[in-house]
Amino acid sequence: MRVPFDLRLLSACALAAGLSVAAPLGALAQDSTAPAQETPAAAAPETPSPDTVIATVNGADVTEGELDMALNDLGEQFAQLPAEQKRAAALSAVIEIRLLAQQAADAGLGENEAFKQRMAFLRERALHSAFVEQKVAAEVTDEAVRARYDKEVAATPPTNEIRARHILVKTKEEAEAIIAQLEGGGDFEAIAKEKSTDGAAPQGGDLGYFGPGQMVPAFEKAAFALEVGEYSKEPVETDFGFHVIKVEDKRTQQPPAFDQVKDQVRSLLFREKYFEMVQSARSAAEIDVKDPALKEAVGKIDAAQ
C-alpha cells in the first residue's frame, strides 16, 4: 500500500536490546541472615606506556604500542578468543612477523621494485588514514553534531500526518456495498477484518500514522480530505483496488529524537567534511588520466560524490 519515500537526514529506526543477568546458584543458596563478607575493591590496573618493552626478538624490542597496533590490525582474527588470550595471541603474531620479516630482508625481498611500490602505497594509505583521523574526524565533534541536528529540525517545516483505516476490495460494487453497510451503522473495524483483502485487515484496516508522499496519490488525496471520524462516501480507486477510508486522528509530525539519529548526523557531517577536503585537494592538483574510458568513468564517480 505504501510507496517509497525519502526520509532525508532525520529518518531513522530505533533498535532496542535487552540483557538479563542470572545470579549464581551458590549466591541464591546463601543464608540471607548470614553477615555479608566485605570484599576489598581491586585496584584498577595501571595502563602501561606505549614505550614499555614487553618482549625482545633477537635483541630488538617489542613495545606495548606495537602490541596495541597488532591488536587493532589483527582484531578480527582474534575475535573468538577470550579476552585474556588476545594479548598473548597478538604478541605471538608480532613475534612471527618479526622473525619472518627479518628472513625476508636477509633474502633481499625488500629490494625489488614491486615490493617498493607496495610499501609506498601502504605509506600513503597510512598517511591518508592519519589525515582523516586528525583533520576530518576530529572536527566532527559532539557539539557540531548537535548543532547540525538543531539546524535540520529548524529548517524542516511542520508536516501534518493522519492515522487512517481502510477496507480494500476488488470491485467498485463491493466498496459501494460496504459504504451502504457503514451508513446503516456497521462497525468499520469489524467489516475490515471480515472483508478487506489488505494485509492490515487483521488490525481492522489500521494503517497507522502517515504523512504526505507515503501513500499513492489518489489514496492520499482522499484520506487527507476527510475529517477525524469520517469515512469516504465514494469508493477510492487505486492500482490496488477500491478503498473505503476512515480517518482516526490528525497530528503534527514530530522530528525523531536526537539520540535516535545522532549517528546518522555524525556520518553525514563526516562525509561532507571529507569530500570538502577531497574536492579542495583535487581542484588544486593537476590530474591527467591517460585512458579516455577510464577518465570518463572516474569523472562520473567524482560527479556523484
Side-chain angles (χ1 to χ4, degrees):
M1 182 60 228
R2 297 178 185 266
V3 294
F5 63 101
D6 182 9
L7 279 178
R8 295 179 69 243
L9 167 67
L10 299 177
S11 62
C13 296
L15 301 178
L19 297 177
S20 60
V21 179
L25 183 59
L28 294 176
Q30 289 179 354
D31 184 355
S32 61
T33 62
Q37 297 291 324
E38 292 190 3
T39 302
E46 293 185 6
T47 302
S49 165
D51 297 328
T52 301
V53 177
I54 57 175
T56 59
V57 179
N58 289 334
D61 293 341
V62 178
T63 66
E64 187 71 37
E66 290 173 301
L67 183 63
D68 286 342
M69 283 192 290
L71 282 168
N72 289 332
D73 291 346
L74 306 174
E76 291 185 5
Q77 299 180 34
F78 303 146
Q80 303 303 318
L81 292 178
E84 65 274 10
Q85 293 183 17
K86 288 184 179 181
R87 279 173 55 83
L91 179 56
S92 179
V94 170
I95 292 171
E96 292 174 10
I97 291 170
R98 282 281 185 90
L99 291 173
L100 297 187
Q102 186 58 58
Q103 290 189 31
D106 293 343
L109 301 182
E111 302 304 318
N112 65 67
E113 286 304 313
F115 180 81
K116 290 180 180 180
Q117 288 178 5
R118 178 168 176 77
M119 286 301 297
F121 177 70
L122 291 176
R123 180 177 184 276
E124 289 180 339
R125 279 186 59 186
L127 286 171
H128 171 273
S129 296
F131 183 89
V132 169
E133 180 180 349
Q134 297 178 30
K135 301 297 184 180
V136 181
E139 294 191 17
V140 184
T141 62
D142 291 343
E143 293 76 15
V145 173
R146 181 72 205 204
R148 181 57 176 270
Y149 168 84
D150 291 340
K151 179 182 178 181
E152 291 291 335
V153 170
T156 303
T159 301
N160 293 324
E161 59 181 6
I162 63 175
R163 179 186 174 190
R165 298 178 185 272
H166 79 139
I167 301 170
L168 175 64
V169 291
K170 293 182 178 180
T171 67
K172 182 177 181 181
E173 290 73 22
E174 289 177 282
E176 289 173 338
I178 289 170
I179 292 171
Q181 191 175 351
L182 291 170
E183 293 285 354
D187 182 84
F188 196 100
E189 292 183 44
I191 297 173
K193 290 179 180 180
E194 178 186 356
K195 297 184 177 180
S196 182
T197 62
D198 181 70
Q203 291 77 46
D206 192 357
L207 297 171
Y209 285 95
F210 56 89
Q214 293 182 244
M215 297 294 180
V216 294
F219 187 98
E220 177 184 308
K221 181 179 179 181
F224 274 87
L226 295 170
E227 297 297 328
V228 174
E230 286 187 335
Y231 57 86
S232 52
K233 300 301 191 292
E234 297 290 336
V236 178
E237 184 179 7
T238 71
D239 290 341
F240 299 95
F242 291 85
H243 309 258
V244 180
I245 306 168
K246 180 182 179 184
V247 171
E248 296 284 2
D249 189 24
K250 293 187 177 183
R251 69 182 185 185
T252 301
Q253 187 179 52
Q254 297 300 312
F258 175 69
D259 286 342
Q260 284 183 293
V261 295
K262 62 183 179 182
D263 290 340
Q264 288 91 330
V265 179
R266 187 179 300 277
S267 295
L268 176 68
L269 284 177
F270 180 91
R271 177 182 173 84
E272 288 179 349
K273 185 67 177 176
Y274 176 80
F275 283 112
E276 175 187 324
M277 292 190 170
V278 168
Q279 292 303 324
S280 176
R282 282 179 177 271
S283 63
E286 294 183 6
I287 302 171
D288 182 18
V289 180
K290 304 298 184 181
D291 182 280
L294 183 58
K295 182 176 182 178
E296 181 181 0
V298 170
K300 289 180 179 179
I301 292 175
D302 294 342
Q305 292 176 348

